[in-house]
Each structure stands twice: as C-alpha cells, then as structure tokens.
Amino acid sequence: SQTIHQWPATLVQPVGSPLSLECTVEGTSNPNLYWYRQAAGRGLQLLFYSVGIGQISSEVPQNLSASRPQDRQFILSSKKLLLSDSGFYLCAWSVPTPGFYEQYFGPGTRLTVT
Amino acid sequence: AQRVTQPEKLLSVFKGAPVELKCNYSYSGSPELFWYVQYSRQRLQLLLRHISRESIKGFTADLNKGETSFHLKKPFAQEEDSAMYYCALYNFNKFYFGSGTKLNVKP
C-alpha cells in the first residue's frame, strides 16, 4: 500500500534562517507531488507541484522553493525565512489516472518562524 | 479561472438533523470534483468523488452544472461527522480547494 511521510512534524525557526522540509512517498511510481500551505479560514494554498524528477511548477511567487531530486522525494526550501512563512505545510501525491485523480496527504509540518 | 467557494466557515447542527455543506465552483469545462474531510488530529482524506456517484458514511454530493454547485449532504448528522470539510476541483494536474467549512454536530 502507498504511504507518505513528512518530517519534521513541528519546527520552530528564527527569521532569516534556512528551511528544508522533506516529503517521501512509498508504494507508487512516478506520482505527481504537491506542497500546500494550510491556513485557518483560507483553505489549502497550492505552492508547488511536480509531475516528474526535476520538474517543478510554482503557483505562488514567494520566499520558498521546491525540488524533486528523486522520483518519490519532494523538498520544500527557503534560504531565509520570513515571519509570514509560518503555517502548516502539507505534502500530497496523486497518480493522474482518469477517474481517480484524488490526492493523498501527509501528516503535515507545523512551522513557526520567530 | 478555476475557483472553488465554500460560503460557510462554520455550520452547527444537532445530532439527527440534516446537513448540507455548500460548494460552488467556476470552471469552463467538465469538472472533476471532490470532497475532503479532516477529523481532529487526523490527516486530510478523501471523502468522495463526484465521478463515482457514491455514498460514503451516509454523505452524498450531486454535481449541478447549471448552478455550478457540488453540495455535500447527509440526511441525519452524527456527532462523529464533526470535522473540517473541503471541496476541491481538479484540472490538469492541479487541485483547487475551497476555504473549508467546519461542521459541528451537537448532541
């Protein structure tokens, strides 16, 4: 069966420090991978998605970047965190099979920038 | 542009009462629509997809193309239905989520 892992679960970082959040998927090949930020009252904001190794699409101009160095690994990064980067970050995967486009989500990372 | 709107941030009902969570979308083609649910301390998970025309945990959702709506319904709410519900639209590798509705079912 497929599983998705995210780490760390929680993170407290000072303003200006770097960030690296990791997401890995097991049990599937060539998935589409996604990074979201979930904010209370504002739903899920799509940050990045990837349809293959090295292929990254950015949805929102911001202080963050993403990389996909391996088929089932997706990394969210920042060189210098801002206070506004605080939030709950979700990784998700899907396999674009017609009629079964649904996504599966990881447990999330709570990031607090101080 | 694609957009999903959930007009209610919070919906409170008593146990046994009917529930309807509203979702409206804007999309020019034939939409792929989903409802996701997040129970307390659990991951966001798929509840149902419109293409399957299924009933999950007593919930159903009907696509109304004329009204561009995909409302989620349940005839008799249970306390365990209390959760955050998100409507989502899929289009070419991307998912568009509404802002979510928190359902609170009171005993």
Side-chain angles (χ1 to χ4, degrees):
Chain A
S1 65
Q2 302 89 352
T3 55
I4 178 169
H5 304 281
Q6 275 186 254
W7 64 90
T10 60
L11 190 60
V12 180
Q13 292 283 94
V15 168
S17 64
L19 173 73
S20 181
L21 303 181
E22 191 163 342
C23 170
T24 60
V25 180
E26 297 176 358
T28 186
S29 296
N30 197 30
N32 288 355
L33 297 172
Y34 303 81
W35 279 111
Y36 291 90
R37 181 162 49 207
Q38 186 179 26
R42 291 194 288 176
L44 276 69
Q45 179 186 33
L46 178 62
L47 303 176
F48 302 93
Y49 72 95
S50 171
V51 300
I53 296 174
Q55 301 179 61
I56 308 295
S57 296
S58 173
E59 291 299 298
V60 182
Q62 58 206 330
N63 187 42
L64 302 170
S65 62
S67 62
R68 184 170 178 174
Q70 301 180 42
D71 181 44
R72 288 170 284 183
Q73 183 185 28
F74 205 24
I75 298 171
L76 183 68
S77 304
S78 175
K79 292 182 178 179
K80 290 185 178 181
L81 283 169
L82 306 173
L83 285 174
S84 57
D85 293 323
S86 293
F88 192 61
Y89 290 84
L90 286 170
C91 182
W93 69 272
S94 72
V95 178
T97 302
F100 296 93
Y101 293 112
E102 64 266 26
Q103 291 188 307
Y104 299 91
F105 287 84
T109 295
R110 174 75 61 189
L111 171 65
T112 304
V113 182
T114 60
Chain B
Q2 295 82 8
R3 186 181 178 89
V4 177
T5 303
Q6 292 179 251
E8 304 141 328
K9 289 189 176 181
L10 175 64
L11 185 62
S12 289
V13 301
F14 284 102
K15 176 183 174 181
V19 171
E20 181 179 67
L21 299 166
K22 292 184 168 51
C23 172
N24 289 92
Y25 65 91
S26 60
Y27 181 67
S28 56
S30 293
E32 294 274 353
L33 290 159
F34 306 87
W35 276 99
Y36 282 82
V37 60
Q38 190 169 29
Y39 301 103
S40 179
R41 301 180 184 278
Q42 293 189 28
R43 299 186 188 194
L44 192 61
Q45 58 187 282
L46 177 70
L47 179 61
L48 55 80
R49 59 176 84 90
H50 96 272
I51 198 170
S52 299
R53 295 181 175 272
E54 56 203 344
S55 174
I56 303 294
K57 298 184 178 182
F59 284 98
T60 59
D62 292 321
L63 174 61
N64 186 322
K65 290 187 178 181
E67 296 183 358
T68 60
S69 68
F70 187 55
H71 303 328
L72 183 67
K73 301 177 183 178
K74 185 170 183 177
F76 308 103
Q78 303 299 315
E79 289 180 70
E80 55 265 31
D81 296 328
S82 294
M84 194 74 182
Y85 291 80
Y86 293 94
C87 182
L89 180 152
Y90 171 85
N91 178 42
F92 194 62
N93 290 321
K94 292 192 288 188
F95 292 79
Y96 301 86
F97 283 82
S99 55
T101 297
K102 185 174 182 179
L103 175 64
N104 180 32
V105 181
K106 297 175 284 188

